[in-house]
Amino acid sequence: MKFEDLQLHPAILKALKDENYSEPTSIQAQAIPLVLERKDVLGSAQTGTGKTAAFAIPIIQHLINTTRHEKGRRQIKSLVVTPTRELAIQIGESFDAYGKYSNLQNTVIFGGVPQNPQVRQLQKGVDILVATPGRLLDLISQKHISLRDVKYFVLDEADRMLDMGFIHDINKLLKILPRQRQSLFFSATMPNKIVKLSQQILVNPKKVAVNPVSSTAETIQQQIYFTNKSDKKDLLLHILKNKDIEQVLLFSRTKHGADRIVRNLRNKKIESAAIHGEKSQNQRQKALLRFKKGEIRVLVATDIAARGIDIDKLRYVINYDIPNEPETYVHRIGRCGRAGEEGVALSLCEPEENAYVKSIEKLIKLKIDVAGNNPFPQTDKPMNDSEKKEFEAEKKRKRQEFFENRNKKRGNQNPGFRRKRR
Ligand code: AMP
């Protein structure tokens, strides 16, 4: 199928040509005709499948047709709500790209930055608003935004939205949105609570689905290094000796872990930066931009911070640890090998994580290849239950010792802590 077969407006086809998109991805081929027929759509698709264009293109087409005769300040006719700032920015960029010959205004709003520049954008009049839930409700309550004219509503990454605790915000929003509207609902996974939420939003929806989360993209080559916890640092340096790995997105479970990895890499003169929840929005965007420009070789991210970041032509993902939720593994490695590009996902597994690999393999129905060239093979044994208990008790003891010493140094100024100890 070609985009030309979808009867899109010439302004859109021209923009798609500029993007070098030759044919629609599966989700686009399925969803675009339905949205153009004004059907509500329940889409099961994760980031990387081209789902943004699957809703953005037909919305632009609707708006080209309806805004032609509009007079006065532009009103918001399409609202896209998405869980993270990074996703919001990317969706805004997609509307810019596909709508560049269409004379439509879009703007993006999200929290964590001053609201005034966003308010000024809104005051100029916008056709398409892309927003994260918190800032959206804030600006609605301050009367900077009216949803009265919204005809096309998109809820993007619904499952993450719920994971991140946005359910109350979504419920509030549903009370404000006009009833007469077309709604599109996208989620990577479809557990019961998501299906229920979709039923509150959609009317007689058509279902479209690609890449259920259990199927990892066929274009991603996966390898695993079984190693020891204490060897991961050196193993990573060994892997990065491979000059083919020009750039890599590396996942760390914790923020502290991410910072530690960056320090280690910088000590070895490997350019790297971390993006995680304790970095400001500005720092995160700067790190992402430097990575995209090629100034950084290793971008270290936690799962939350990496949600939705889209790096064109990213070939390598490294899992510095194995996530305990198998779906997280699929999300992580889906960052590379996007839209048909070839990707490589390497995972470092310490003994305590062996069991996680098993549940990942069960989910993806595939045995992950063991990497051949591993100078730091796993020699430690995973702990049995009593060893785990001992380990946890020792960790607790050490933590207590740390706090006791700290309190002594501070001259026992923390009575709350002393009370707890008794
Ligand atoms: P998304 O799933 O919307 O985050 O899109 C993933 C990536 O695929 C983005 O970098 C898009 O620019 C790209 N993309 C989307 N649609 C197409 C297409 N039809 N042909 C080639 N690349 C595409």
Side-chain angles (χ1 to χ4, degrees):
M1 185 191 264
K2 296 241 162 290
F3 279 111
E4 282 77 4
D5 303 330
L6 294 171
Q7 295 169 8
L8 298 173
H9 194 280
I12 299 175
L13 289 175
K14 186 164 182 249
L16 294 177
K17 207 166 235 151
D18 288 359
E19 292 297 302
N20 287 324
Y21 291 1
S22 52
E23 53 184 67
T25 65
S26 167
I27 191 82
Q28 292 161 6
Q30 296 178 63
I32 293 174
L34 294 171
V35 184
L36 291 178
E37 283 171 32
R38 301 190 181 268
K39 299 275 193 285
D40 279 9
V41 169
L42 175 64
S44 171
Q46 58 192 109
T47 308
T49 54
K51 74 174 156 63
T52 315
F55 62 77
I57 290 172
I59 286 178
I60 292 170
Q61 174 115 341
H62 280 323
L63 293 179
I64 293 176
N65 292 332
T66 53
T67 50
R68 237 178 311 175
H69 308 294
E70 219 178 44
K71 295 202 175 74
R73 196 176 86 173
R74 290 160 187 261
Q75 304 298 333
I76 299 164
K77 288 165 287 295
S78 176
L79 171 69
V80 181
V81 180
T82 190
T84 69
R85 304 151 190 192
E86 284 81 6
L87 271 169
I89 292 170
Q90 273 160 30
I91 295 171
E93 286 169 356
S94 297
F95 274 105
D96 283 342
Y98 313 140
K100 72 182 196 201
Y101 301 114
S102 301
N103 188 30
L104 296 168
Q105 293 299 326
N106 79 74
T107 199
V108 178
I109 60 168
F110 46 80
V113 293
Q115 70 168 43
N116 283 349
Q118 297 177 353
V119 171
R120 277 197 294 276
Q121 278 306 111
L122 288 162
Q123 281 165 348
K124 288 185 195 158
V126 293
D127 303 294
I128 302 157
L129 177 64
V130 183
T132 55
R135 179 58 58 94
L136 175 64
L137 287 170
D138 258 6
L139 295 186
I140 291 174
S141 70
Q142 296 173 45
K143 306 256 185 296
H144 290 302
I145 291 176
S146 157
L147 301 184
R148 209 185 39 217
D149 294 291
V150 170
K151 307 232 167 5
Y152 313 105
F153 169 57
V154 182
L155 190 73
D156 184 41
E157 307 244 339
D159 49 356
R160 292 185 179 178
M161 206 79 96
L162 294 203
D163 286 350
M164 292 172 77
F166 284 134
I167 185 69
H168 298 299
D169 287 351
I170 296 170
N171 284 332
K172 271 189 214 161
L173 194 62
L174 294 179
K175 291 201 184 100
I176 306 170
L177 277 168
R179 275 169 190 259
Q180 280 291 341
R181 58 166 201 257
Q182 184 181 8
S183 302
L184 315 173
F185 183 105
F186 287 89
S187 186
T189 56
M190 287 287 167
N192 257 342
K193 56 181 185 206
I194 294 292
V195 175
K196 281 209 181 102
L197 177 67
S198 77
Q199 288 163 346
Q200 277 174 263
I201 297 175
L202 305 170
V203 181
N204 296 329
K206 296 281 177 202
K207 290 189 185 148
V208 295
V210 285
N211 261 357
V213 74
S214 57
S215 72
T216 41
E218 285 156 20
T219 50
I220 302 173
Q221 188 196 330
Q222 302 170 60
Q223 284 191 355
I224 192 152
Y225 290 81
F226 287 101
T227 189
N228 303 305
K229 190 182 176 73
S230 54
D231 288 328
K232 279 190 176 177
K233 212 168 69 180
D234 294 323
L235 178 56
L236 176 62
L237 294 172
H238 168 78
I239 292 171
L240 291 176
K241 276 190 198 141
N242 179 353
K243 293 284 176 263
D244 282 349
I245 308 181
E246 284 176 10
Q247 282 202 301
V248 54
L249 177 61
L250 185 144
F251 285 93
S252 155
R253 193 175 6 233
T254 66
K255 300 171 205 167
H256 293 302
D259 287 335
R260 213 175 307 127
I261 295 166
V262 168
R263 277 198 301 275
N264 289 334
L265 291 176
R266 286 189 181 158
N267 280 341
K268 299 288 173 194
K269 306 269 177 291
I270 297 174
E271 268 307 313
S272 66
I275 51 171
H276 56 61
E278 261 160 43
K279 302 269 179 191
S280 69
Q281 176 61 9
N282 211 346
Q283 285 172 315
R284 286 201 243 171
Q285 262 168 276
K286 219 156 120 191
L288 190 59
L289 196 69
R290 289 189 59 210
F291 187 69
K292 285 185 174 178
K293 279 191 192 157
E295 294 169 9
I296 286 175
R297 186 169 174 215
V298 185
L299 185 67
V300 183
T302 56
D303 291 299
I304 297 259
R307 276 177 183 179
I309 62 171
D310 176 20
I311 301 154
D312 267 354
K313 307 226 166 28
L314 179 71
R315 275 202 67 203
Y316 285 88
V317 161
I318 294 181
N319 295 307
Y320 195 80
D321 51 49
I322 310 292
N324 53 2
E325 303 247 353
E327 289 82 5
T328 306
Y329 174 85
V330 180
H331 283 306
R332 284 183 178 187
I333 75 166
R335 312 281 91 188
C336 69
R338 318 186 76 186
E341 298 281 335
E342 185 185 295
V344 182
L346 307 175
S347 302
L348 279 51
C349 175
E350 63 191 61
E352 293 323 305
E353 296 166 338
N354 289 356
Y356 302 157
V357 174
K358 293 231 163 64
S359 44
I360 290 167
E361 291 181 332
K362 206 165 134 198
L363 178 76
I364 63 177
K365 300 191 181 70
L366 189 86
K367 190 136 185 63
I368 305 173
D369 287 341
V370 176
N373 178 14
N374 179 2
F376 304 99
Q378 202 174 85
T379 47
D380 297 346
K381 292 264 168 300
M383 287 184 261
N384 61 32
D385 285 349
S386 69
E387 283 168 333
K388 258 186 212 156
K389 262 191 202 144
E390 245 173 65
F391 176 77
E392 289 305 323
E394 176 66 11
K395 223 162 81 179
K396 201 166 156 192
R397 197 189 57 72
K398 278 196 175 144
R399 204 178 311 138
Q400 246 173 21
E401 200 178 89
F402 169 81
F403 281 117
E404 275 171 28
N405 285 337
R406 195 180 68 173
N407 283 352
K408 265 187 214 150
K409 272 190 207 144
R410 289 180 179 173
N412 283 336
Q413 292 160 339
N414 187 348
F417 183 73
R418 281 208 304 279
R419 251 202 317 279
K420 233 187 195 162
R421 262 175 51 216
R422 245 186 271 129

